[in-house]
Amino acid sequence: MRTVPLGRTGEQVSQLALGCMLMGTSTGEAESFEMLDRYVGAGGAFLDTADCYAWWPGPPATGGESESLLGRWFARTGRRDDVFLATKGGAWVADPAAVLAGRTTAAEQYAGAGGDTLRHALDASLTRLGVDHVDLYYVHVDDLRTPLEEALEVLAGLVAAGKTRYLGWSNVQTWRLERIRQLCARHGWPAPVALQQEHSYLRKHPGADSLSVVDDEQLRYLRAHDDLTLVAYSPLLKGAYDDPAKRAGHHVMHSYAGADTDARLATVAKLAADLGVTNGQLVLAWLLHQRDPRRVALIGPRTLQQYEAAPPALDLHLDADLLATLDAAGA
């Protein structure tokens, strides 16, 4: 399992991270444990979860199930110290039933990044996980309602208290990220070392209104600031590369639809067929080959079969000509 630097912290983290979003709900306990055992047994050591995972499968799930399952796995295996553990706060949804019924949206219910909210959220996460600290704590969704100074001062306190070693931010625009960094420098607060955003081989179309998808501007920003590591979530776009039905009907494609995406999908399909691999494996290998900036690929498999399809991408070598062909594809 290859590793990449986490900013300038001196930490090396697994380049292929395992997202535990659906563990304990859509993925049952036995299958989740098997997935975790196989990942760590293969040398993987970067686990990602959040306090809100996962309310959307519906009752009786309300959030917290993923963290609780990881807590049981740590208790069973004693492997807490063998992994780099990340969780998130701020996107807790108080009334999942109302969201599922269409009476409100998840965004309207997000707990946000208020000081008391973050303090209580991390304490609750640590309890569910059965640990005294996490290695990385993200603000899950940028909160424009809360003064950044309030959130950053509290986060600094959480680091000082030993409840998290490092901080990250997710689903955030570049201008906000720069403001966060300026405030941290001014006040001597610990700055984020990880940026978790949706990122894949496909490129967001110019009219897409999404704060979560990395665009060219954000990549340029990351190239200029190597103290931030990009953790790319949904690199496989929920299986859309290998499933035309998902490309046609899944909301994950809304930010990408257009001629550029059609051309890149066609290129991936041709090259993957030539190599004898799946489209998804080629896309994942492309991401793992990126050096400027380096990226962590965060997969979130629902089944053991989906998990087993990912590690072969680590061994897939793409030469310079093939990478150039992939990069040049597009309308």
Side-chain angles (χ1 to χ4, degrees), residues 57-89:
T62 59
E65 290 82 8
S66 171
E67 290 179 329
S68 296
L69 181 138
L70 283 172
R72 293 190 294 276
W73 184 75
F74 290 139
R76 180 179 74 89
T77 63
R79 304 206 69 164
R80 165 63 185 98
D81 293 337
D82 296 336
V83 301
F84 188 88
L85 177 61
T87 193
K88 316 177 197 72

PDB file of all heavy atoms in Angstrom, residues 57-89:
ATOM      1  N   PRO A  57     -30.105   5.594   4.711  1.00  0.00           N
ATOM      2  CA  PRO A  57     -30.780   4.316   4.437  1.00  0.00           C
ATOM      3  C   PRO A  57     -32.165   4.214   5.059  1.00  0.00           C
ATOM      4  O   PRO A  57     -32.936   3.308   4.728  1.00  0.00           O
ATOM      5  CB  PRO A  57     -29.819   3.279   5.024  1.00  0.00           C
ATOM      6  CG  PRO A  57     -28.481   3.935   4.975  1.00  0.00           C
ATOM      7  CD  PRO A  57     -28.761   5.368   5.290  1.00  0.00           C
ATOM      8  N   GLY A  58     -32.477   5.136   5.964  1.00  0.00           N
ATOM      9  CA  GLY A  58     -33.820   5.150   6.550  1.00  0.00           C
ATOM     10  C   GLY A  58     -33.877   4.436   7.887  1.00  0.00           C
ATOM     11  O   GLY A  58     -32.901   3.818   8.338  1.00  0.00           O
ATOM     12  N   PRO A  59     -35.040   4.513   8.549  1.00  0.00           N
ATOM     13  CA  PRO A  59     -35.208   3.925   9.885  1.00  0.00           C
ATOM     14  C   PRO A  59     -34.779   2.459   9.911  1.00  0.00           C
ATOM     15  O   PRO A  59     -34.993   1.744   8.934  1.00  0.00           O
ATOM     16  CB  PRO A  59     -36.708   4.070  10.143  1.00  0.00           C
ATOM     17  CG  PRO A  59     -37.131   5.199   9.266  1.00  0.00           C
ATOM     18  CD  PRO A  59     -36.268   5.117   8.041  1.00  0.00           C
ATOM     19  N   PRO A  60     -34.128   2.049  11.003  1.00  0.00           N
ATOM     20  CA  PRO A  60     -33.896   2.799  12.241  1.00  0.00           C
ATOM     21  C   PRO A  60     -32.634   3.658  12.240  1.00  0.00           C
ATOM     22  O   PRO A  60     -32.263   4.211  13.273  1.00  0.00           O
ATOM     23  CB  PRO A  60     -33.772   1.690  13.286  1.00  0.00           C
ATOM     24  CG  PRO A  60     -33.106   0.576  12.526  1.00  0.00           C
ATOM     25  CD  PRO A  60     -33.695   0.637  11.135  1.00  0.00           C
ATOM     26  N   ALA A  61     -31.946   3.785  11.095  1.00  0.00           N
ATOM     27  CA  ALA A  61     -30.702   4.547  11.053  1.00  0.00           C
ATOM     28  C   ALA A  61     -30.972   6.029  11.272  1.00  0.00           C
ATOM     29  O   ALA A  61     -31.890   6.603  10.686  1.00  0.00           O
ATOM     30  CB  ALA A  61     -30.015   4.331   9.701  1.00  0.00           C
ATOM     31  N   THR A  62     -30.147   6.654  12.107  1.00  0.00           N
ATOM     32  CA  THR A  62     -30.284   8.087  12.377  1.00  0.00           C
ATOM     33  C   THR A  62     -28.959   8.829  12.289  1.00  0.00           C
ATOM     34  O   THR A  62     -28.909  10.048  12.468  1.00  0.00           O
ATOM     35  CB  THR A  62     -30.858   8.316  13.789  1.00  0.00           C
ATOM     36  OG1 THR A  62     -29.976   7.727  14.749  1.00  0.00           O
ATOM     37  CG2 THR A  62     -32.246   7.723  13.923  1.00  0.00           C
ATOM     38  N   GLY A  63     -27.864   8.108  12.000  1.00  0.00           N
ATOM     39  CA  GLY A  63     -26.522   8.679  12.055  1.00  0.00           C
ATOM     40  C   GLY A  63     -25.773   8.105  13.242  1.00  0.00           C
ATOM     41  O   GLY A  63     -26.367   7.716  14.247  1.00  0.00           O
ATOM     42  N   GLY A  64     -24.455   8.051  13.112  1.00  0.00           N
ATOM     43  CA  GLY A  64     -23.631   7.490  14.175  1.00  0.00           C
ATOM     44  C   GLY A  64     -23.358   6.015  14.043  1.00  0.00           C
ATOM     45  O   GLY A  64     -22.505   5.470  14.760  1.00  0.00           O
ATOM     46  N   GLU A  65     -24.059   5.346  13.136  1.00  0.00           N
ATOM     47  CA  GLU A  65     -23.911   3.877  13.025  1.00  0.00           C
ATOM     48  C   GLU A  65     -22.508   3.482  12.564  1.00  0.00           C
ATOM     49  O   GLU A  65     -21.952   2.483  13.037  1.00  0.00           O
ATOM     50  CB  GLU A  65     -24.953   3.311  12.061  1.00  0.00           C
ATOM     51  CG  GLU A  65     -26.378   3.345  12.565  1.00  0.00           C
ATOM     52  CD  GLU A  65     -27.066   4.687  12.370  1.00  0.00           C
ATOM     53  OE1 GLU A  65     -26.466   5.564  11.695  1.00  0.00           O
ATOM     54  OE2 GLU A  65     -28.185   4.870  12.879  1.00  0.00           O
ATOM     55  N   SER A  66     -21.925   4.243  11.653  1.00  0.00           N
ATOM     56  CA  SER A  66     -20.594   3.905  11.158  1.00  0.00           C
ATOM     57  C   SER A  66     -19.555   4.013  12.269  1.00  0.00           C
ATOM     58  O   SER A  66     -18.724   3.114  12.452  1.00  0.00           O
ATOM     59  CB  SER A  66     -20.221   4.829   9.991  1.00  0.00           C
ATOM     60  OG  SER A  66     -18.864   4.673   9.633  1.00  0.00           O
ATOM     61  N   GLU A  67     -19.595   5.118  13.009  1.00  0.00           N
ATOM     62  CA  GLU A  67     -18.640   5.275  14.112  1.00  0.00           C
ATOM     63  C   GLU A  67     -18.819   4.172  15.152  1.00  0.00           C
ATOM     64  O   GLU A  67     -17.825   3.635  15.672  1.00  0.00           O
ATOM     65  CB  GLU A  67     -18.818   6.646  14.753  1.00  0.00           C
ATOM     66  CG  GLU A  67     -18.362   7.801  13.859  1.00  0.00           C
ATOM     67  CD  GLU A  67     -18.574   9.154  14.508  1.00  0.00           C
ATOM     68  OE1 GLU A  67     -19.532   9.299  15.299  1.00  0.00           O
ATOM     69  OE2 GLU A  67     -17.790  10.074  14.214  1.00  0.00           O
ATOM     70  N   SER A  68     -20.053   3.835  15.468  1.00  0.00           N
ATOM     71  CA  SER A  68     -20.299   2.788  16.460  1.00  0.00           C
ATOM     72  C   SER A  68     -19.747   1.445  15.994  1.00  0.00           C
ATOM     73  O   SER A  68     -19.172   0.675  16.777  1.00  0.00           O
ATOM     74  CB  SER A  68     -21.797   2.671  16.753  1.00  0.00           C
ATOM     75  OG  SER A  68     -22.290   3.851  17.349  1.00  0.00           O
ATOM     76  N   LEU A  69     -19.929   1.141  14.697  1.00  0.00           N
ATOM     77  CA  LEU A  69     -19.391  -0.113  14.169  1.00  0.00           C
ATOM     78  C   LEU A  69     -17.864  -0.122  14.249  1.00  0.00           C
ATOM     79  O   LEU A  69     -17.260  -1.127  14.644  1.00  0.00           O
ATOM     80  CB  LEU A  69     -19.849  -0.321  12.730  1.00  0.00           C
ATOM     81  CG  LEU A  69     -19.342  -1.636  12.100  1.00  0.00           C
ATOM     82  CD1 LEU A  69     -20.430  -2.308  11.283  1.00  0.00           C
ATOM     83  CD2 LEU A  69     -18.099  -1.395  11.231  1.00  0.00           C
ATOM     84  N   LEU A  70     -17.238   0.990  13.901  1.00  0.00           N
ATOM     85  CA  LEU A  70     -15.785   1.050  14.002  1.00  0.00           C
ATOM     86  C   LEU A  70     -15.342   0.860  15.451  1.00  0.00           C
ATOM     87  O   LEU A  70     -14.321   0.203  15.715  1.00  0.00           O
ATOM     88  CB  LEU A  70     -15.271   2.383  13.460  1.00  0.00           C
ATOM     89  CG  LEU A  70     -15.244   2.508  11.934  1.00  0.00           C
ATOM     90  CD1 LEU A  70     -14.904   3.925  11.520  1.00  0.00           C
ATOM     91  CD2 LEU A  70     -14.239   1.527  11.328  1.00  0.00           C
ATOM     92  N   GLY A  71     -16.090   1.422  16.384  1.00  0.00           N
ATOM     93  CA  GLY A  71     -15.768   1.204  17.792  1.00  0.00           C
ATOM     94  C   GLY A  71     -15.790  -0.263  18.165  1.00  0.00           C
ATOM     95  O   GLY A  71     -14.921  -0.748  18.903  1.00  0.00           O
ATOM     96  N   ARG A  72     -16.763  -0.990  17.635  1.00  0.00           N
ATOM     97  CA  ARG A  72     -16.832  -2.431  17.926  1.00  0.00           C
ATOM     98  C   ARG A  72     -15.684  -3.174  17.254  1.00  0.00           C
ATOM     99  O   ARG A  72     -15.140  -4.138  17.812  1.00  0.00           O
ATOM    100  CB  ARG A  72     -18.189  -2.991  17.483  1.00  0.00           C
ATOM    101  CG  ARG A  72     -19.367  -2.447  18.297  1.00  0.00           C
ATOM    102  CD  ARG A  72     -20.656  -3.188  18.018  1.00  0.00           C
ATOM    103  NE  ARG A  72     -21.167  -3.035  16.661  1.00  0.00           N
ATOM    104  CZ  ARG A  72     -21.920  -2.019  16.250  1.00  0.00           C
ATOM    105  NH1 ARG A  72     -22.248  -1.040  17.090  1.00  0.00           N
ATOM    106  NH2 ARG A  72     -22.373  -1.967  15.006  1.00  0.00           N
ATOM    107  N   TRP A  73     -15.298  -2.734  16.061  1.00  0.00           N
ATOM    108  CA  TRP A  73     -14.181  -3.382  15.373  1.00  0.00           C
ATOM    109  C   TRP A  73     -12.870  -3.136  16.116  1.00  0.00           C
ATOM    110  O   TRP A  73     -12.057  -4.050  16.271  1.00  0.00           O
ATOM    111  CB  TRP A  73     -14.089  -2.869  13.929  1.00  0.00           C
ATOM    112  CG  TRP A  73     -13.022  -3.544  13.124  1.00  0.00           C
ATOM    113  CD1 TRP A  73     -13.063  -4.804  12.591  1.00  0.00           C
ATOM    114  CD2 TRP A  73     -11.746  -2.995  12.765  1.00  0.00           C
ATOM    115  NE1 TRP A  73     -11.882  -5.083  11.921  1.00  0.00           N
ATOM    116  CE2 TRP A  73     -11.059  -3.977  12.013  1.00  0.00           C
ATOM    117  CE3 TRP A  73     -11.125  -1.772  12.999  1.00  0.00           C
ATOM    118  CZ2 TRP A  73      -9.790  -3.767  11.496  1.00  0.00           C
ATOM    119  CZ3 TRP A  73      -9.858  -1.561  12.496  1.00  0.00           C
ATOM    120  CH2 TRP A  73      -9.204  -2.553  11.743  1.00  0.00           C
ATOM    121  N   PHE A  74     -12.661  -1.904  16.588  1.00  0.00           N
ATOM    122  CA  PHE A  74     -11.461  -1.625  17.380  1.00  0.00           C
ATOM    123  C   PHE A  74     -11.426  -2.491  18.633  1.00  0.00           C
ATOM    124  O   PHE A  74     -10.380  -3.027  19.011  1.00  0.00           O
ATOM    125  CB  PHE A  74     -11.410  -0.142  17.777  1.00  0.00           C
ATOM    126  CG  PHE A  74     -11.146   0.802  16.641  1.00  0.00           C
ATOM    127  CD1 PHE A  74     -11.838   2.006  16.551  1.00  0.00           C
ATOM    128  CD2 PHE A  74     -10.210   0.522  15.663  1.00  0.00           C
ATOM    129  CE1 PHE A  74     -11.613   2.890  15.521  1.00  0.00           C
ATOM    130  CE2 PHE A  74      -9.959   1.395  14.618  1.00  0.00           C
ATOM    131  CZ  PHE A  74     -10.671   2.587  14.549  1.00  0.00           C
ATOM    132  N   ALA A  75     -12.586  -2.620  19.298  1.00  0.00           N
ATOM    133  CA  ALA A  75     -12.646  -3.426  20.515  1.00  0.00           C
ATOM    134  C   ALA A  75     -12.339  -4.895  20.215  1.00  0.00           C
ATOM    135  O   ALA A  75     -11.695  -5.584  21.018  1.00  0.00           O
ATOM    136  CB  ALA A  75     -14.020  -3.285  21.168  1.00  0.00           C
ATOM    137  N   ARG A  76     -12.807  -5.374  19.065  1.00  0.00           N
ATOM    138  CA  ARG A  76     -12.594  -6.779  18.704  1.00  0.00           C
ATOM    139  C   ARG A  76     -11.151  -7.053  18.309  1.00  0.00           C
ATOM    140  O   ARG A  76     -10.589  -8.114  18.641  1.00  0.00           O
ATOM    141  CB  ARG A  76     -13.522  -7.164  17.542  1.00  0.00           C
ATOM    142  CG  ARG A  76     -13.390  -8.615  17.088  1.00  0.00           C
ATOM    143  CD  ARG A  76     -14.349  -8.937  15.953  1.00  0.00           C
ATOM    144  NE  ARG A  76     -13.945  -8.365  14.691  1.00  0.00           N
ATOM    145  CZ  ARG A  76     -13.149  -8.969  13.804  1.00  0.00           C
ATOM    146  NH1 ARG A  76     -12.675 -10.171  14.048  1.00  0.00           N
ATOM    147  NH2 ARG A  76     -12.837  -8.375  12.678  1.00  0.00           N
ATOM    148  N   THR A  77     -10.538  -6.115  17.580  1.00  0.00           N
ATOM    149  CA  THR A  77      -9.226  -6.379  16.978  1.00  0.00           C
ATOM    150  C   THR A  77      -8.068  -5.748  17.738  1.00  0.00           C
ATOM    151  O   THR A  77      -6.920  -6.182  17.576  1.00  0.00           O
ATOM    152  CB  THR A  77      -9.185  -5.840  15.540  1.00  0.00           C
ATOM    153  OG1 THR A  77      -9.352  -4.409  15.564  1.00  0.00           O
ATOM    154  CG2 THR A  77     -10.279  -6.473  14.691  1.00  0.00           C
ATOM    155  N   GLY A  78      -8.340  -4.692  18.512  1.00  0.00           N
ATOM    156  CA  GLY A  78      -7.258  -3.967  19.165  1.00  0.00           C
ATOM    157  C   GLY A  78      -6.368  -3.214  18.199  1.00  0.00           C
ATOM    158  O   GLY A  78      -5.200  -2.924  18.522  1.00  0.00           O
ATOM    159  N   ARG A  79      -6.903  -2.830  17.036  1.00  0.00           N
ATOM    160  CA  ARG A  79      -6.060  -2.242  15.992  1.00  0.00           C
ATOM    161  C   ARG A  79      -6.208  -0.726  15.878  1.00  0.00           C
ATOM    162  O   ARG A  79      -5.843  -0.151  14.854  1.00  0.00           O
ATOM    163  CB  ARG A  79      -6.350  -2.912  14.654  1.00  0.00           C
ATOM    164  CG  ARG A  79      -6.192  -4.421  14.679  1.00  0.00           C
ATOM    165  CD  ARG A  79      -5.865  -5.000  13.335  1.00  0.00           C
ATOM    166  NE  ARG A  79      -4.533  -4.645  12.878  1.00  0.00           N
ATOM    167  CZ  ARG A  79      -3.895  -5.267  11.880  1.00  0.00           C
ATOM    168  NH1 ARG A  79      -4.458  -6.285  11.261  1.00  0.00           N
ATOM    169  NH2 ARG A  79      -2.693  -4.876  11.498  1.00  0.00           N
ATOM    170  N   ARG A  80      -6.711  -0.076  16.914  1.00  0.00           N
ATOM    171  CA  ARG A  80      -6.845   1.385  16.828  1.00  0.00           C
ATOM    172  C   ARG A  80      -5.517   2.050  16.474  1.00  0.00           C
ATOM    173  O   ARG A  80      -5.464   2.964  15.636  1.00  0.00           O
ATOM    174  CB  ARG A  80      -7.376   1.941  18.168  1.00  0.00           C
ATOM    175  CG  ARG A  80      -7.212   3.473  18.330  1.00  0.00           C
ATOM    176  CD  ARG A  80      -8.020   4.230  17.286  1.00  0.00           C
ATOM    177  NE  ARG A  80      -7.797   5.658  17.333  1.00  0.00           N
ATOM    178  CZ  ARG A  80      -6.968   6.319  16.541  1.00  0.00           C
ATOM    179  NH1 ARG A  80      -6.222   5.653  15.647  1.00  0.00           N
ATOM    180  NH2 ARG A  80      -6.851   7.627  16.615  1.00  0.00           N
ATOM    181  N   ASP A  81      -4.431   1.629  17.092  1.00  0.00           N
ATOM    182  CA  ASP A  81      -3.144   2.284  16.878  1.00  0.00           C
ATOM    183  C   ASP A  81      -2.509   1.924  15.540  1.00  0.00           C
ATOM    184  O   ASP A  81      -1.468   2.492  15.179  1.00  0.00           O
ATOM    185  CB  ASP A  81      -2.173   1.940  18.013  1.00  0.00           C
ATOM    186  CG  ASP A  81      -2.608   2.533  19.347  1.00  0.00           C
ATOM    187  OD1 ASP A  81      -3.365   3.519  19.330  1.00  0.00           O
ATOM    188  OD2 ASP A  81      -2.193   2.000  20.396  1.00  0.00           O
ATOM    189  N   ASP A  82      -3.127   1.007  14.802  1.00  0.00           N
ATOM    190  CA  ASP A  82      -2.588   0.614  13.499  1.00  0.00           C
ATOM    191  C   ASP A  82      -3.159   1.441  12.360  1.00  0.00           C
ATOM    192  O   ASP A  82      -2.757   1.249  11.204  1.00  0.00           O
ATOM    193  CB  ASP A  82      -2.892  -0.867  13.226  1.00  0.00           C
ATOM    194  CG  ASP A  82      -2.202  -1.791  14.206  1.00  0.00           C
ATOM    195  OD1 ASP A  82      -1.167  -1.394  14.780  1.00  0.00           O
ATOM    196  OD2 ASP A  82      -2.709  -2.912  14.421  1.00  0.00           O
ATOM    197  N   VAL A  83      -4.105   2.320  12.656  1.00  0.00           N
ATOM    198  CA  VAL A  83      -4.764   3.077  11.587  1.00  0.00           C
ATOM    199  C   VAL A  83      -4.710   4.564  11.882  1.00  0.00           C
ATOM    200  O   VAL A  83      -4.587   5.009  13.028  1.00  0.00           O
ATOM    201  CB  VAL A  83      -6.237   2.643  11.400  1.00  0.00           C
ATOM    202  CG1 VAL A  83      -6.331   1.173  11.067  1.00  0.00           C
ATOM    203  CG2 VAL A  83      -7.077   2.993  12.618  1.00  0.00           C
ATOM    204  N   PHE A  84      -4.809   5.333  10.806  1.00  0.00           N
ATOM    205  CA  PHE A  84      -4.963   6.783  10.868  1.00  0.00           C
ATOM    206  C   PHE A  84      -6.460   7.036  10.724  1.00  0.00           C
ATOM    207  O   PHE A  84      -7.051   6.768   9.684  1.00  0.00           O
ATOM    208  CB  PHE A  84      -4.174   7.437   9.738  1.00  0.00           C
ATOM    209  CG  PHE A  84      -4.102   8.929   9.821  1.00  0.00           C
ATOM    210  CD1 PHE A  84      -3.093   9.557  10.533  1.00  0.00           C
ATOM    211  CD2 PHE A  84      -5.051   9.717   9.184  1.00  0.00           C
ATOM    212  CE1 PHE A  84      -3.026  10.946  10.610  1.00  0.00           C
ATOM    213  CE2 PHE A  84      -4.990  11.099   9.250  1.00  0.00           C
ATOM    214  CZ  PHE A  84      -3.977  11.715   9.966  1.00  0.00           C
ATOM    215  N   LEU A  85      -7.085   7.533  11.789  1.00  0.00           N
ATOM    216  CA  LEU A  85      -8.540   7.593  11.890  1.00  0.00           C
ATOM    217  C   LEU A  85      -9.042   9.020  11.707  1.00  0.00           C
ATOM    218  O   LEU A  85      -8.637   9.930  12.438  1.00  0.00           O
ATOM    219  CB  LEU A  85      -8.974   7.055  13.259  1.00  0.00           C
ATOM    220  CG  LEU A  85     -10.458   7.102  13.594  1.00  0.00           C
ATOM    221  CD1 LEU A  85     -11.280   6.269  12.611  1.00  0.00           C
ATOM    222  CD2 LEU A  85     -10.680   6.627  15.027  1.00  0.00           C
ATOM    223  N   ALA A  86      -9.938   9.199  10.743  1.00  0.00           N
ATOM    224  CA  ALA A  86     -10.535  10.506  10.481  1.00  0.00           C
ATOM    225  C   ALA A  86     -12.040  10.441  10.662  1.00  0.00           C
ATOM    226  O   ALA A  86     -12.686   9.470  10.249  1.00  0.00           O
ATOM    227  CB  ALA A  86     -10.215  10.965   9.058  1.00  0.00           C
ATOM    228  N   THR A  87     -12.592  11.471  11.295  1.00  0.00           N
ATOM    229  CA  THR A  87     -14.038  11.627  11.309  1.00  0.00           C
ATOM    230  C   THR A  87     -14.371  13.099  11.086  1.00  0.00           C
ATOM    231  O   THR A  87     -13.487  13.940  10.967  1.00  0.00           O
ATOM    232  CB  THR A  87     -14.667  11.073  12.604  1.00  0.00           C
ATOM    233  OG1 THR A  87     -16.085  10.968  12.424  1.00  0.00           O
ATOM    234  CG2 THR A  87     -14.375  11.950  13.812  1.00  0.00           C
ATOM    235  N   LYS A  88     -15.670  13.392  11.020  1.00  0.00           N
ATOM    236  CA  LYS A  88     -16.115  14.736  10.654  1.00  0.00           C
ATOM    237  C   LYS A  88     -17.296  15.138  11.523  1.00  0.00           C
ATOM    238  O   LYS A  88     -18.034  14.284  12.021  1.00  0.00           O
ATOM    239  CB  LYS A  88     -16.552  14.784   9.180  1.00  0.00           C
ATOM    240  CG  LYS A  88     -15.632  14.080   8.208  1.00  0.00           C
ATOM    241  CD  LYS A  88     -16.182  14.130   6.792  1.00  0.00           C
ATOM    242  CE  LYS A  88     -15.532  13.111   5.898  1.00  0.00           C
ATOM    243  NZ  LYS A  88     -15.940  11.728   6.194  1.00  0.00           N
ATOM    244  N   GLY A  89     -17.481  16.450  11.655  1.00  0.00           N
ATOM    245  CA  GLY A  89     -18.630  16.982  12.360  1.00  0.00           C
ATOM    246  C   GLY A  89     -19.185  18.183  11.626  1.00  0.00           C
ATOM    247  O   GLY A  89     -18.495  18.823  10.828  1.00  0.00           O
TER     248      GLY A  89
END
